Amino acid sequence: ASPRSSRRIEAHYEIREVLGDGTSGQVRRVIHRQTGQEYAVKVISLRRQLDLTSMEHEVTMMQSLDHPYIVQLVDVFVHPGI
């Protein structure tokens, strides 16, 4: 699940309702277009290089986790300007 800026999330997931809002972003329900599997997606605005560096570190850490009580990171999308 590495960030790939050439892909658009809308091509892979049908974006549905907002599940929650917070200081770091918004969580929405999505449905994978090929499998029909439901997921939650967290949309985060990265406006500074510090934010991007911090997020890259979090993605690396989340990819290494495998525990039944911790949310699993499935995919990462990066969109310039969002």
Side-chain angles (χ1 to χ4, degrees):
S2 63
R4 293 172 287 252
S5 59
S6 61
R7 300 182 325 143
R8 297 291 301 175
I9 190 169
E10 296 88 352
H12 301 274
Y13 297 91
E14 181 181 329
I15 299 174
R16 296 287 183 92
E17 72 274 8
V18 173
L19 299 175
D21 282 303
T23 57
S24 66
Q26 184 180 70
V27 177
R28 298 183 72 115
R29 185 170 72 97
V30 297
I31 299 175
H32 191 267
R33 292 189 186 278
Q34 289 184 336
T35 66
Q37 179 71 40
E38 290 189 46
Y39 294 100
V41 63
K42 185 173 184 180
V43 179
I44 302 169
S45 178
L46 302 175
R47 303 229 182 259
R48 303 174 313 194
Q49 182 61 36
L50 177 63
D51 294 336
L52 182 58
T53 301
S54 175
M55 188 53 52
E56 287 171 341
H57 177 71
E58 184 174 343
V59 165
T60 300
M61 181 190 68
M62 292 291 295
Q63 287 174 326
S64 69
L65 297 175
D66 183 18
H67 191 279
Y69 297 113
I70 298 178
V71 173
Q72 180 183 11
L73 177 64
V74 175
D75 212 340
V76 176
F77 293 84
V78 177
H79 298 281
I82 294 180

